[in-house]
Amino acid sequence: MREQDAYKDLSDLFRVEDNTLAAEPFTRQVMGRVRQQKRMRRVVVGGLGLIGAGIAAMQLPQLFAEWAGLEKPLADALATAPAELSTAAVSQINAAATGNPMWIAIAAGAALCVFAVSAFERA
Amino acid sequence: MRSDPDLAQAAARGNEAAFAELVRRHQGKVRGMARRLAGSDAPGDDIAQVTFLTAWQKISTYAGGTFSSWICSICWREFLQWRRRQKMEIEFDETAEIIPFDRSADQNEMRMDLTRALETLSEAQRVCVVLCVATGLTHQEAADVTGWPLGTVKSHVLRGVALLRTRLENANVA
């Protein structure tokens, strides 16, 4: 005998009671909240992504300015001291890479997007 | 008719219609369980709604097996959170009166008897009776859901059912 058979009469009483609950209004309410959550998630993730992209775009002029500044010291280095070319270029590129706010902006944008996705993504 | 695991798989891919079908199928059981655990209809329905919202978010973690048992375990956790909040509110507001159960919607005599009879059980017995007798979980599933030992669940169900029968018989005699 299954364990449930011992109280089948009571289970039937409860089932009758549960079957009287109207399914459609409740289902509509739940699905309404599901869609609302979905919309909210889209707005927040999209918004944070846009903010990240905006921050990155704001850094572009500075990036181009630093690239322009890189050419002159390189040209000088080529003209005056060919032997020092490699070391000068490497140090210039390193300085640009570490000091360039573009990379900071990209990292910030990516971090924002990852945060937004991890916060709102379904588990 | 599509099976619950099929629907759950479709819902995990973002199919809202499949999830709506799951809600339609299991809402009676989950609402009944939440209402009986909370002891009142309105908070019970709120718990049931939150249960299905959590289920939608975590549907991809459903790894087969009985969908009823899976959704009931979510409902149980949501009920515990709700009860924790209730306790905190009552503790915080020392002047607050304990709100009696909402009886306004209880028109059905049989329902009154069942509800009243359930209320006479101890909380542990009520939980075990609600999970096993009203919701239809096996003793093992109820033990998994609550985290209580299987023997404890079995003995609470046994005693709870006996008491429930006595109360219902007394109500019928009266």
Side-chain angles (χ1 to χ4, degrees), chain B residues 5-48:
Chain B
D6 274 355
L7 289 170
Q9 229 172 18
R13 288 193 298 267
N15 185 337
E16 284 183 18
F19 187 72
E21 180 56 29
L22 281 172
V23 176
R24 217 167 279 124
R25 274 187 202 177
H26 294 276
Q27 58 87 29
K29 200 172 266 190
V30 173
R31 282 167 80 191
M33 174 181 166
R35 284 173 173 211
R36 286 174 196 120
L37 288 174
S40 183
D41 290 355
D45 279 357
D46 286 345
I47 293 168

mmCIF file of all heavy atoms in Angstrom, chain B residues 5-48:
data_model
loop_
_atom_site.group_PDB
_atom_site.id
_atom_site.type_symbol
_atom_site.label_atom_id
_atom_site.label_comp_id
_atom_site.label_asym_id
_atom_site.label_seq_id
_atom_site.Cartn_x
_atom_site.Cartn_y
_atom_site.Cartn_z
ATOM 1 N N PRO B 5 7.969 18.353 -17.429
ATOM 2 C CA PRO B 5 9.376 18.618 -17.779
ATOM 3 C C PRO B 5 9.535 19.246 -19.173
ATOM 4 O O PRO B 5 10.393 20.110 -19.367
ATOM 5 C CB PRO B 5 10.017 17.221 -17.731
ATOM 6 C CG PRO B 5 9.165 16.459 -16.788
ATOM 7 C CD PRO B 5 7.778 16.962 -17.002
ATOM 8 N N ASP B 6 8.676 18.841 -20.128
ATOM 9 C CA ASP B 6 8.715 19.444 -21.468
ATOM 10 C C ASP B 6 8.412 20.941 -21.391
ATOM 11 O O ASP B 6 9.101 21.764 -21.994
ATOM 12 C CB ASP B 6 7.651 18.793 -22.377
ATOM 13 C CG ASP B 6 8.178 17.531 -23.024
ATOM 14 O OD1 ASP B 6 9.376 17.248 -22.832
ATOM 15 O OD2 ASP B 6 7.382 16.838 -23.694
ATOM 16 N N LEU B 7 7.345 21.239 -20.654
ATOM 17 C CA LEU B 7 6.944 22.643 -20.515
ATOM 18 C C LEU B 7 8.026 23.453 -19.799
ATOM 19 O O LEU B 7 8.317 24.588 -20.178
ATOM 20 C CB LEU B 7 5.624 22.747 -19.737
ATOM 21 C CG LEU B 7 4.369 22.277 -20.467
ATOM 22 C CD1 LEU B 7 3.195 22.199 -19.515
ATOM 23 C CD2 LEU B 7 4.035 23.211 -21.628
ATOM 24 N N ALA B 8 8.620 22.827 -18.779
ATOM 25 C CA ALA B 8 9.668 23.527 -18.022
ATOM 26 C C ALA B 8 10.876 23.807 -18.915
ATOM 27 O O ALA B 8 11.490 24.873 -18.833
ATOM 28 C CB ALA B 8 10.084 22.698 -16.818
ATOM 29 N N GLN B 9 11.174 22.855 -19.786
ATOM 30 C CA GLN B 9 12.304 23.034 -20.711
ATOM 31 C C GLN B 9 12.019 24.192 -21.666
ATOM 32 O O GLN B 9 12.899 25.029 -21.921
ATOM 33 C CB GLN B 9 12.493 21.755 -21.513
ATOM 34 C CG GLN B 9 13.927 21.272 -21.528
ATOM 35 C CD GLN B 9 14.043 19.897 -22.168
ATOM 36 O OE1 GLN B 9 13.140 19.461 -22.879
ATOM 37 N NE2 GLN B 9 15.136 19.238 -21.919
ATOM 38 N N ALA B 10 10.787 24.217 -22.171
ATOM 39 C CA ALA B 10 10.401 25.297 -23.086
ATOM 40 C C ALA B 10 10.432 26.636 -22.350
ATOM 41 O O ALA B 10 10.890 27.647 -22.899
ATOM 42 C CB ALA B 10 9.017 25.032 -23.656
ATOM 43 N N ALA B 11 9.956 26.636 -21.106
ATOM 44 C CA ALA B 11 9.960 27.877 -20.314
ATOM 45 C C ALA B 11 11.382 28.354 -20.059
ATOM 46 O O ALA B 11 11.656 29.555 -20.065
ATOM 47 C CB ALA B 11 9.225 27.655 -18.995
ATOM 48 N N ALA B 12 12.298 27.397 -19.863
ATOM 49 C CA ALA B 12 13.705 27.767 -19.625
ATOM 50 C C ALA B 12 14.306 28.444 -20.853
ATOM 51 O O ALA B 12 15.257 29.217 -20.743
ATOM 52 C CB ALA B 12 14.516 26.530 -19.256
ATOM 53 N N ARG B 13 13.731 28.149 -22.039
ATOM 54 C CA ARG B 13 14.206 28.810 -23.263
ATOM 55 C C ARG B 13 13.494 30.150 -23.470
ATOM 56 O O ARG B 13 13.687 30.798 -24.492
ATOM 57 C CB ARG B 13 13.972 27.901 -24.469
ATOM 58 C CG ARG B 13 14.904 26.689 -24.510
ATOM 59 C CD ARG B 13 14.843 26.008 -25.866
ATOM 60 N NE ARG B 13 13.517 25.495 -26.159
ATOM 61 C CZ ARG B 13 13.108 24.248 -25.893
ATOM 62 N NH1 ARG B 13 13.952 23.397 -25.347
ATOM 63 N NH2 ARG B 13 11.892 23.861 -26.178
ATOM 64 N N GLY B 14 12.641 30.525 -22.507
ATOM 65 C CA GLY B 14 11.980 31.829 -22.560
ATOM 66 C C GLY B 14 10.555 31.781 -23.093
ATOM 67 O O GLY B 14 9.963 32.824 -23.362
ATOM 68 N N ASN B 15 10.000 30.580 -23.250
ATOM 69 C CA ASN B 15 8.644 30.437 -23.772
ATOM 70 C C ASN B 15 7.623 30.748 -22.666
ATOM 71 O O ASN B 15 7.415 29.958 -21.753
ATOM 72 C CB ASN B 15 8.450 29.012 -24.302
ATOM 73 C CG ASN B 15 7.118 28.819 -24.978
ATOM 74 O OD1 ASN B 15 6.169 29.552 -24.726
ATOM 75 N ND2 ASN B 15 7.054 27.835 -25.852
ATOM 76 N N GLU B 16 6.999 31.919 -22.773
ATOM 77 C CA GLU B 16 6.062 32.356 -21.722
ATOM 78 C C GLU B 16 4.783 31.522 -21.710
ATOM 79 O O GLU B 16 4.215 31.272 -20.649
ATOM 80 C CB GLU B 16 5.701 33.829 -21.927
ATOM 81 C CG GLU B 16 6.807 34.774 -21.501
ATOM 82 C CD GLU B 16 6.409 36.225 -21.646
ATOM 83 O OE1 GLU B 16 5.211 36.530 -21.753
ATOM 84 O OE2 GLU B 16 7.315 37.068 -21.670
ATOM 85 N N ALA B 17 4.348 31.096 -22.890
ATOM 86 C CA ALA B 17 3.104 30.312 -22.970
ATOM 87 C C ALA B 17 3.274 28.986 -22.223
ATOM 88 O O ALA B 17 2.347 28.529 -21.545
ATOM 89 C CB ALA B 17 2.732 30.066 -24.420
ATOM 90 N N ALA B 18 4.460 28.392 -22.354
ATOM 91 C CA ALA B 18 4.725 27.130 -21.664
ATOM 92 C C ALA B 18 4.694 27.344 -20.152
ATOM 93 O O ALA B 18 4.146 26.529 -19.405
ATOM 94 C CB ALA B 18 6.080 26.575 -22.086
ATOM 95 N N PHE B 19 5.271 28.453 -19.708
ATOM 96 C CA PHE B 19 5.280 28.721 -18.272
ATOM 97 C C PHE B 19 3.858 29.009 -17.779
ATOM 98 O O PHE B 19 3.480 28.559 -16.687
ATOM 99 C CB PHE B 19 6.216 29.890 -17.940
ATOM 100 C CG PHE B 19 6.387 30.104 -16.473
ATOM 101 C CD1 PHE B 19 7.126 29.206 -15.716
ATOM 102 C CD2 PHE B 19 5.775 31.166 -15.826
ATOM 103 C CE1 PHE B 19 7.265 29.367 -14.347
ATOM 104 C CE2 PHE B 19 5.908 31.341 -14.457
ATOM 105 C CZ PHE B 19 6.657 30.445 -13.717
ATOM 106 N N ALA B 20 3.079 29.730 -18.597
ATOM 107 C CA ALA B 20 1.686 30.022 -18.213
ATOM 108 C C ALA B 20 0.907 28.714 -18.037
ATOM 109 O O ALA B 20 0.077 28.598 -17.125
ATOM 110 C CB ALA B 20 1.031 30.904 -19.263
ATOM 111 N N GLU B 21 1.185 27.745 -18.886
ATOM 112 C CA GLU B 21 0.511 26.448 -18.774
ATOM 113 C C GLU B 21 0.898 25.757 -17.456
ATOM 114 O O GLU B 21 0.055 25.157 -16.786
ATOM 115 C CB GLU B 21 0.880 25.578 -19.987
ATOM 116 C CG GLU B 21 0.246 24.195 -20.011
ATOM 117 C CD GLU B 21 -1.277 24.207 -19.932
ATOM 118 O OE1 GLU B 21 -1.884 25.187 -20.393
ATOM 119 O OE2 GLU B 21 -1.846 23.234 -19.381
ATOM 120 N N LEU B 22 2.169 25.872 -17.093
ATOM 121 C CA LEU B 22 2.617 25.286 -15.812
ATOM 122 C C LEU B 22 1.917 25.971 -14.633
ATOM 123 O O LEU B 22 1.516 25.313 -13.673
ATOM 124 C CB LEU B 22 4.134 25.437 -15.666
ATOM 125 C CG LEU B 22 5.009 24.454 -16.437
ATOM 126 C CD1 LEU B 22 6.477 24.854 -16.337
ATOM 127 C CD2 LEU B 22 4.824 23.038 -15.904
ATOM 128 N N VAL B 23 1.789 27.292 -14.731
ATOM 129 C CA VAL B 23 1.103 28.040 -13.658
ATOM 130 C C VAL B 23 -0.344 27.559 -13.560
ATOM 131 O O VAL B 23 -0.850 27.279 -12.471
ATOM 132 C CB VAL B 23 1.144 29.568 -13.929
ATOM 133 C CG1 VAL B 23 0.356 30.320 -12.866
ATOM 134 C CG2 VAL B 23 2.574 30.072 -13.954
ATOM 135 N N ARG B 24 -0.988 27.448 -14.740
ATOM 136 C CA ARG B 24 -2.394 27.007 -14.783
ATOM 137 C C ARG B 24 -2.542 25.622 -14.124
ATOM 138 O O ARG B 24 -3.461 25.382 -13.373
ATOM 139 C CB ARG B 24 -2.846 26.966 -16.238
ATOM 140 C CG ARG B 24 -4.279 27.405 -16.441
ATOM 141 C CD ARG B 24 -4.579 27.656 -17.910
ATOM 142 N NE ARG B 24 -4.110 28.957 -18.342
ATOM 143 C CZ ARG B 24 -3.267 29.170 -19.365
ATOM 144 N NH1 ARG B 24 -2.796 28.155 -20.045
ATOM 145 N NH2 ARG B 24 -2.896 30.377 -19.694
ATOM 146 N N ARG B 25 -1.624 24.751 -14.435
ATOM 147 C CA ARG B 25 -1.717 23.375 -13.918
ATOM 148 C C ARG B 25 -1.495 23.287 -12.412
ATOM 149 O O ARG B 25 -2.103 22.480 -11.735
ATOM 150 C CB ARG B 25 -0.638 22.505 -14.583
ATOM 151 C CG ARG B 25 -1.065 21.934 -15.892
ATOM 152 C CD ARG B 25 -0.028 20.962 -16.395
ATOM 153 N NE ARG B 25 -0.168 20.807 -17.821
ATOM 154 C CZ ARG B 25 0.633 20.067 -18.562
ATOM 155 N NH1 ARG B 25 1.636 19.432 -18.002
ATOM 156 N NH2 ARG B 25 0.445 19.968 -19.851
ATOM 157 N N HIS B 26 -0.558 24.078 -11.905
ATOM 158 C CA HIS B 26 -0.135 23.877 -10.507
ATOM 159 C C HIS B 26 -0.635 24.953 -9.549
ATOM 160 O O HIS B 26 -0.330 24.881 -8.359
ATOM 161 C CB HIS B 26 1.396 23.787 -10.445
ATOM 162 C CG HIS B 26 1.923 22.569 -11.137
ATOM 163 N ND1 HIS B 26 1.999 21.344 -10.541
ATOM 164 C CD2 HIS B 26 2.347 22.389 -12.415
ATOM 165 C CE1 HIS B 26 2.479 20.457 -11.397
ATOM 166 N NE2 HIS B 26 2.685 21.065 -12.539
ATOM 167 N N GLN B 27 -1.352 25.968 -10.081
ATOM 168 C CA GLN B 27 -1.743 27.070 -9.207
ATOM 169 C C GLN B 27 -2.645 26.600 -8.051
ATOM 170 O O GLN B 27 -2.514 27.094 -6.942
ATOM 171 C CB GLN B 27 -2.380 28.207 -10.007
ATOM 172 C CG GLN B 27 -3.619 27.856 -10.822
ATOM 173 C CD GLN B 27 -4.889 27.965 -10.029
ATOM 174 O OE1 GLN B 27 -4.980 28.754 -9.102
ATOM 175 N NE2 GLN B 27 -5.878 27.142 -10.379
ATOM 176 N N GLY B 28 -3.552 25.655 -8.316
ATOM 177 C CA GLY B 28 -4.470 25.212 -7.268
ATOM 178 C C GLY B 28 -3.717 24.618 -6.100
ATOM 179 O O GLY B 28 -3.935 24.972 -4.940
ATOM 180 N N LYS B 29 -2.789 23.741 -6.445
ATOM 181 C CA LYS B 29 -2.002 23.055 -5.421
ATOM 182 C C LYS B 29 -1.138 24.048 -4.624
ATOM 183 O O LYS B 29 -1.102 24.016 -3.387
ATOM 184 C CB LYS B 29 -1.105 22.031 -6.112
ATOM 185 C CG LYS B 29 -0.591 20.956 -5.221
ATOM 186 C CD LYS B 29 0.127 19.897 -6.013
ATOM 187 C CE LYS B 29 -0.791 18.754 -6.384
ATOM 188 N NZ LYS B 29 -0.073 17.604 -6.942
ATOM 189 N N VAL B 30 -0.457 24.941 -5.372
ATOM 190 C CA VAL B 30 0.456 25.884 -4.708
ATOM 191 C C VAL B 30 -0.319 26.900 -3.879
ATOM 192 O O VAL B 30 0.067 27.205 -2.746
ATOM 193 C CB VAL B 30 1.354 26.589 -5.765
ATOM 194 C CG1 VAL B 30 2.180 27.685 -5.130
ATOM 195 C CG2 VAL B 30 2.252 25.584 -6.454
ATOM 196 N N ARG B 31 -1.424 27.405 -4.439
ATOM 197 C CA ARG B 31 -2.220 28.372 -3.674
ATOM 198 C C ARG B 31 -2.819 27.713 -2.443
ATOM 199 O O ARG B 31 -2.837 28.302 -1.353
ATOM 200 C CB ARG B 31 -3.327 28.948 -4.544
ATOM 201 C CG ARG B 31 -2.822 29.997 -5.503
ATOM 202 C CD ARG B 31 -3.862 30.291 -6.542
ATOM 203 N NE ARG B 31 -4.888 31.194 -6.067
ATOM 204 C CZ ARG B 31 -6.014 31.426 -6.751
ATOM 205 N NH1 ARG B 31 -6.248 30.825 -7.881
ATOM 206 N NH2 ARG B 31 -6.888 32.288 -6.291
ATOM 207 N N GLY B 32 -3.303 26.490 -2.607
ATOM 208 C CA GLY B 32 -3.865 25.773 -1.467
ATOM 209 C C GLY B 32 -2.822 25.597 -0.374
ATOM 210 O O GLY B 32 -3.079 25.860 0.801
ATOM 211 N N MET B 33 -1.633 25.194 -0.799
ATOM 212 C CA MET B 33 -0.551 24.976 0.160
ATOM 213 C C MET B 33 -0.192 26.288 0.876
ATOM 214 O O MET B 33 -0.102 26.327 2.114
ATOM 215 C CB MET B 33 0.680 24.440 -0.584
ATOM 216 C CG MET B 33 1.919 24.315 0.261
ATOM 217 S SD MET B 33 3.303 23.717 -0.737
ATOM 218 C CE MET B 33 4.664 24.065 0.367
ATOM 219 N N ALA B 34 -0.031 27.359 0.096
ATOM 220 C CA ALA B 34 0.377 28.647 0.685
ATOM 221 C C ALA B 34 -0.704 29.188 1.612
ATOM 222 O O ALA B 34 -0.412 29.705 2.700
ATOM 223 C CB ALA B 34 0.688 29.645 -0.421
ATOM 224 N N ARG B 35 -1.970 29.069 1.185
ATOM 225 C CA ARG B 35 -3.067 29.556 2.021
ATOM 226 C C ARG B 35 -3.131 28.803 3.342
ATOM 227 O O ARG B 35 -3.352 29.395 4.401
ATOM 228 C CB ARG B 35 -4.399 29.375 1.285
ATOM 229 C CG ARG B 35 -4.638 30.403 0.196
ATOM 230 C CD ARG B 35 -5.870 30.057 -0.593
ATOM 231 N NE ARG B 35 -6.192 31.115 -1.535
ATOM 232 C CZ ARG B 35 -7.433 31.405 -1.925
ATOM 233 N NH1 ARG B 35 -8.433 30.711 -1.476
ATOM 234 N NH2 ARG B 35 -7.649 32.376 -2.782
ATOM 235 N N ARG B 36 -2.936 27.479 3.264
ATOM 236 C CA ARG B 36 -3.031 26.675 4.491
ATOM 237 C C ARG B 36 -1.843 26.933 5.411
ATOM 238 O O ARG B 36 -1.987 26.948 6.630
ATOM 239 C CB ARG B 36 -3.119 25.192 4.137
ATOM 240 C CG ARG B 36 -4.470 24.838 3.603
ATOM 241 C CD ARG B 36 -4.564 23.436 3.098
ATOM 242 N NE ARG B 36 -5.752 23.337 2.271
ATOM 243 C CZ ARG B 36 -5.751 22.998 0.986
ATOM 244 N NH1 ARG B 36 -4.631 22.699 0.375
ATOM 245 N NH2 ARG B 36 -6.870 22.966 0.304
ATOM 246 N N LEU B 37 -0.673 27.118 4.821
ATOM 247 C CA LEU B 37 0.502 27.384 5.657
ATOM 248 C C LEU B 37 0.386 28.762 6.304
ATOM 249 O O LEU B 37 0.697 28.935 7.482
ATOM 250 C CB LEU B 37 1.784 27.308 4.824
ATOM 251 C CG LEU B 37 2.233 25.916 4.380
ATOM 252 C CD1 LEU B 37 3.434 26.020 3.448
ATOM 253 C CD2 LEU B 37 2.587 25.033 5.562
ATOM 254 N N ALA B 38 -0.065 29.758 5.503
ATOM 255 C CA ALA B 38 -0.163 31.125 6.029
ATOM 256 C C ALA B 38 -1.382 31.283 6.934
ATOM 257 O O ALA B 38 -1.439 32.199 7.741
ATOM 258 C CB ALA B 38 -0.233 32.116 4.877
ATOM 259 N N GLY B 39 -2.369 30.398 6.753
ATOM 260 C CA GLY B 39 -3.570 30.469 7.575
ATOM 261 C C GLY B 39 -4.544 31.521 7.088
ATOM 262 O O GLY B 39 -5.496 31.843 7.787
ATOM 263 N N SER B 40 -4.316 32.067 5.894
ATOM 264 C CA SER B 40 -5.185 33.120 5.392
ATOM 265 C C SER B 40 -5.072 33.183 3.871
ATOM 266 O O SER B 40 -4.021 32.849 3.307
ATOM 267 C CB SER B 40 -4.755 34.436 6.030
ATOM 268 O OG SER B 40 -5.606 35.465 5.634
ATOM 269 N N ASP B 41 -6.153 33.650 3.198
ATOM 270 C CA ASP B 41 -6.181 33.592 1.737
ATOM 271 C C ASP B 41 -5.277 34.618 1.055
ATOM 272 O O ASP B 41 -4.493 34.277 0.162
ATOM 273 C CB ASP B 41 -7.621 33.784 1.230
ATOM 274 C CG ASP B 41 -8.481 32.578 1.578
ATOM 275 O OD1 ASP B 41 -7.935 31.596 2.116
ATOM 276 O OD2 ASP B 41 -9.687 32.635 1.316
ATOM 277 N N ALA B 42 -5.408 35.894 1.462
ATOM 278 C CA ALA B 42 -4.675 36.950 0.743
ATOM 279 C C ALA B 42 -3.153 36.767 0.837
ATOM 280 O O ALA B 42 -2.467 36.750 -0.196
ATOM 281 C CB ALA B 42 -5.097 38.317 1.239
ATOM 282 N N PRO B 43 -2.599 36.605 2.038
ATOM 283 C CA PRO B 43 -1.147 36.376 2.099
ATOM 284 C C PRO B 43 -0.744 35.078 1.394
ATOM 285 O O PRO B 43 0.318 35.003 0.773
ATOM 286 C CB PRO B 43 -0.840 36.271 3.598
ATOM 287 C CG PRO B 43 -2.017 36.760 4.291
ATOM 288 C CD PRO B 43 -3.190 36.639 3.385
ATOM 289 N N GLY B 44 -1.631 34.095 1.464
ATOM 290 C CA GLY B 44 -1.350 32.823 0.791
ATOM 291 C C GLY B 44 -1.205 33.013 -0.709
ATOM 292 O O GLY B 44 -0.282 32.489 -1.331
ATOM 293 N N ASP B 45 -2.115 33.808 -1.290
ATOM 294 C CA ASP B 45 -2.028 34.061 -2.733
ATOM 295 C C ASP B 45 -0.789 34.883 -3.079
ATOM 296 O O ASP B 45 -0.179 34.685 -4.138
ATOM 297 C CB ASP B 45 -3.295 34.770 -3.221
ATOM 298 C CG ASP B 45 -4.437 33.786 -3.437
ATOM 299 O OD1 ASP B 45 -4.214 32.568 -3.257
ATOM 300 O OD2 ASP B 45 -5.543 34.229 -3.785
ATOM 301 N N ASP B 46 -0.421 35.807 -2.186
ATOM 302 C CA ASP B 46 0.814 36.584 -2.421
ATOM 303 C C ASP B 46 2.024 35.645 -2.444
ATOM 304 O O ASP B 46 2.898 35.759 -3.306
ATOM 305 C CB ASP B 46 1.021 37.624 -1.310
ATOM 306 C CG ASP B 46 0.060 38.792 -1.459
ATOM 307 O OD1 ASP B 46 -0.533 38.924 -2.551
ATOM 308 O OD2 ASP B 46 -0.102 39.550 -0.486
ATOM 309 N N ILE B 47 2.068 34.740 -1.467
ATOM 310 C CA ILE B 47 3.181 33.782 -1.410
ATOM 311 C C ILE B 47 3.196 32.931 -2.679
ATOM 312 O O ILE B 47 4.253 32.678 -3.267
ATOM 313 C CB ILE B 47 3.057 32.887 -0.151
ATOM 314 C CG1 ILE B 47 3.249 33.723 1.120
ATOM 315 C CG2 ILE B 47 4.081 31.744 -0.186
ATOM 316 C CD1 ILE B 47 2.876 33.007 2.407
ATOM 317 N N ALA B 48 2.003 32.519 -3.130
ATOM 318 C CA ALA B 48 1.923 31.692 -4.342
ATOM 319 C C ALA B 48 2.429 32.466 -5.560
ATOM 320 O O ALA B 48 3.148 31.911 -6.404
ATOM 321 C CB ALA B 48 0.491 31.232 -4.554
#
